[in-house]
Amino acid sequence: QVQVVESGGGLVQPGGSLRLSCAASGSEFSIYAMGWYRQAPGKQRDLVAIITNGGGTNYADSVKGRFTISLDNAKNTVYLQMNSLKPEDTAVYYCNVLPVGVGISYWGQGTQVTVSS
């Protein structure tokens, strides 16, 4: 079992920045990939960014050049630095953890990000 805890959401003005953190914990596991997804009201949950334990990354087109994902393997923690935020970035952001060799992934409880003046 892997526990996933996100933090760092909040209210920010357009053009501002936020940094999300997600820590994974549990017994006897190692990370293959960690990612961030988001879900706005009435919409499906979509990938924002993902990173593998080797450092490979993939971003949604809508956030390329504005968001940066990074992974601290020693701490099993992934970060999402969000710059130049737009109102359309408003959503609940969820962290997803894919351990090595398990075959299932684990979700956090979500953290709200609101971009508004």
Side-chain angles (χ1 to χ4, degrees), residues 30-88:
S30 59
I31 300 295
Y32 174 71
M34 295 182 74
W36 289 97
Y37 293 73
R38 66 186 181 188
Q39 188 168 19
K43 295 188 177 182
Q44 67 181 19
R45 188 175 299 186
D46 291 325
L47 174 70
V48 176
I50 192 168
I51 186 167
T52 67
N53 56 12
T57 59
N58 190 36
Y59 294 90
D61 288 342
S62 60
V63 306
K64 285 180 180 177
R66 301 188 298 122
F67 291 10
T68 302
I69 191 169
S70 59
L71 176 63
D72 186 332
N73 281 298
K75 296 181 179 179
N76 288 335
T77 299
V78 66
Y79 305 95
L80 186 68
Q81 179 65 43
M82 304 186 294
N83 299 328
S84 302
L85 282 160
K86 305 175 181 180
E88 50 265 43

Side-chain angles (χ1 to χ4, degrees), residues 2-25:
V2 176
Q3 292 77 46
V4 182
V5 179
E6 304 111 330
S7 61
L11 173 64
V12 64
Q13 293 186 344
S17 298
L18 279 177
R19 189 193 195 206
L20 305 183
S21 300
C22 170
S25 62

